[in-house]
Amino acid sequence: MLQIPPSRVGVEILHDCWFNKGTAFSERERDRLRIRGLLPANIFTIEEQLHRAYISFHRQGQSSLRDKEKGRQENIVAKHLFLNSLHDRNETLFFRLVVEHIEEMGLDLYLMNSLNSIG
């Protein structure tokens, strides 16, 4: 398990994508790290967050009715933006999502890397 340096507390933890666990911080961790009140009161496990992130990933890729009429199947850019944003906010959840669904997300990750190297 990743140890959070004692010098990092409060909002610094939440702004550091390496240490941020989102709503998975336990009550004890929230008190120790002085982040109680900075997160929603509900505590969600990584597994629960993973499930929500997976659903959101698919929602991002859904095409609008207009796109479907034009023959477009999915919105790859929206998926890319979702994964990029998740990576910037919460690396723990990002990598867990990718590891759990690597076959499905492999192409999106490849495209994400390719687009980042271009721009």
Side-chain angles (χ1 to χ4, degrees), residues 86-103:
L86 180 61
H87 181 263
D88 289 347
R89 286 190 327 270
N90 188 334
E91 281 191 9
T92 303
L93 184 58
F94 170 80
F95 284 112
R96 182 75 184 269
L97 181 67
V98 168
V99 167
E100 297 273 331
H101 304 283
I102 190 67
E103 289 181 16

Side-chain angles (χ1 to χ4, degrees), residues 43-62:
I43 296 173
F44 295 100
T45 65
I46 290 292
E47 288 76 19
E48 291 168 320
Q49 290 184 51
L50 179 64
H51 179 72
R52 287 196 333 248
Y54 183 69
I55 290 170
S56 294
F57 173 78
H58 281 288
R59 281 192 186 135
Q60 297 302 317
Q62 290 177 349

Side-chain angles (χ1 to χ4, degrees), residues 24-78:
F25 286 107
S26 68
E27 288 186 23
R28 185 173 175 221
E29 288 173 318
R30 291 173 187 218
D31 289 337
R32 184 172 57 86
L33 298 171
R34 292 185 242 156
I35 56 174
R36 184 175 295 280
L38 299 177
L39 293 169
N42 294 340
I43 296 173
F44 295 100
T45 65
I46 290 292
E47 288 76 19
E48 291 168 320
Q49 290 184 51
L50 179 64
H51 179 72
R52 287 196 333 248
Y54 183 69
I55 290 170
S56 294
F57 173 78
H58 281 288
R59 281 192 186 135
Q60 297 302 317
Q62 290 177 349
S63 298
S64 68
L65 186 56
R66 182 179 296 152
D67 287 340
K68 288 180 182 177
E69 289 171 355
K70 292 181 179 180
R72 296 183 193 139
Q73 296 300 317
E74 63 180 352
N75 190 337
I76 295 172
V77 174

